[in-house]
Amino acid sequence: MCRNIKTLFNFEPPASELEIRDASLQFVRKLSGFNVPSKANEAAFERAVAEVADSARRLIRSMVTNAEPKNREVEAIKARERSARRFEEGARR
């Protein structure tokens, strides 16, 4: 599950609210062990997602770097290449 959480810092354009929420949702899913919470836990689950998103937003906004912002398209291509290599290596075993 957590493999779906993407790095959100130092990208151009900056991380969107949807990306921050999606990463927060994945994190809460991993911690709770539930993809979809029961009705009894739904409010706590959604509150946790909102709190994690708030924390992530504050973290991303407060961090500084001298590095050039990363390009999302270039990073996506690199990720696909890494994935292809990983699956090729697994198929050879």
Side-chain angles (χ1 to χ4, degrees):
M1 248 188 278
C2 282
R3 290 182 189 175
N4 295 332
I5 298 176
K6 297 180 174 102
T7 301
L8 300 177
F9 176 63
N10 197 30
F11 276 94
E12 192 59 46
S16 69
E17 285 300 313
L18 180 60
E19 289 172 309
I20 292 170
R21 188 188 186 296
D22 286 349
S24 301
L25 176 61
Q26 287 296 331
F27 184 73
V28 172
R29 283 177 173 169
K30 183 66 172 185
L31 289 179
S32 69
F34 297 107
N35 279 335
V36 180
S38 66
K39 286 289 183 191
N41 292 320
E42 189 172 25
F45 190 90
E46 288 302 320
R47 186 173 48 252
V49 172
E51 290 173 358
V52 170
D54 288 343
S55 294
R57 199 175 301 105
R58 282 192 307 275
L59 172 66
I60 292 166
R61 288 180 183 158
S62 68
M63 293 174 63
V64 295
T65 183
N66 292 326
E68 290 293 317
K70 295 175 239 171
N71 180 295
R72 292 181 185 284
E73 293 175 17
V74 170
E75 295 301 317
I77 291 168
K78 288 179 188 177
R80 284 192 294 273
E81 290 171 353
R82 283 191 304 271
S83 179
R85 281 194 305 273
R86 185 172 59 242
F87 285 111
E88 286 174 10
E89 291 172 5
R92 284 187 250 156
R93 290 182 184 180

